[in-house]
Amino acid sequence: MSNPIKKDMQHIAIISSSVRKGRNSHRTALYFRNFIETANLASVEILDLKEYNFPLFEERLRLFENPTAGMLDFSAKVKAADGIIIVTPEYNGGYPASLKNVVDLLYEEWRRKPIAITTNSDGSFGGTQVITSLQFSLWKIGAWTVPAMFPVPKIQETFDENGMPADKAKTDKRATTFINELLWCMEAAKRMRP
Ligand SMILES: Cc1cc2nc3c(=O)[nH]c(=O)nc-3n(C[C@H](O)[C@H](O)[C@H](O)COP(=O)(O)O)c2cc1C
């Protein structure tokens, strides 16, 4: 699960949110990991909520008496990341409980963190109805949501199960625009750090 953070390189953590058996949106997480690695844009790792398998939210981590190793690991990785990509499916017009579970678990770790959101669905609209509710929660907790979108409609046709895009040129072009916004915000955040 862990990748060493390369020195002098910005680090991106990709949060893969779906914990559903047979999930498809994880393909987008695999695609972005590969895209960032291949272009050598940053060091990158996937924080897979299915692997973390967190229990249902009970209390914020900072007030938790006996946090699990997984919670501490997730907290440290979110904190250490210079930027985050959240890959979320759309479930009934919103984002999944697995994602709200970790948004609420952390607090300071999210503060001023550049976060780019990619929404996913098996239908035609690419899960875009998720944006307003997820952005609002992230804004409320003090994160810095990047004004770029990467909706993925018909996810099962857009990427194969290893994250290989059906139309590489078109997908890479969209990904470049999306990632450039995130990298810009990561650079701006870095320059503001004391
Ligand atoms: C509980 C549930 C609700 C869903 N609601 C929507 C929806 O509102 N809009 C939509 O486009 N797709 C919806 N889908 C389909 C997902 O877009 C589809 O499962 C897609 O592959 C992304 O989710 P996954 O990563 O869990 O596979 C729903 C799927 C589930 C399991």
Side-chain angles (χ1 to χ4, degrees), residues 18-38:
S18 177
V19 298
R20 193 177 67 79
K21 194 175 174 199
R23 64 189 175 167
N24 285 321
S25 58
H26 191 64
R27 298 171 180 211
T28 304
L30 296 173
Y31 165 74
F32 271 107
R33 183 175 65 184
N34 188 39
F35 180 82
I36 292 164
E37 269 174 357
T38 304

Side-chain angles (χ1 to χ4, degrees), residues 18 20 22-26 89-93 120-123 155:
S18 177
R20 193 177 67 79
R23 64 189 175 167
N24 285 321
S25 58
H26 191 64
E90 177 176 325
Y91 290 166
N92 299 314
N120 296 253
S121 78
D122 58 6
I155 172 84

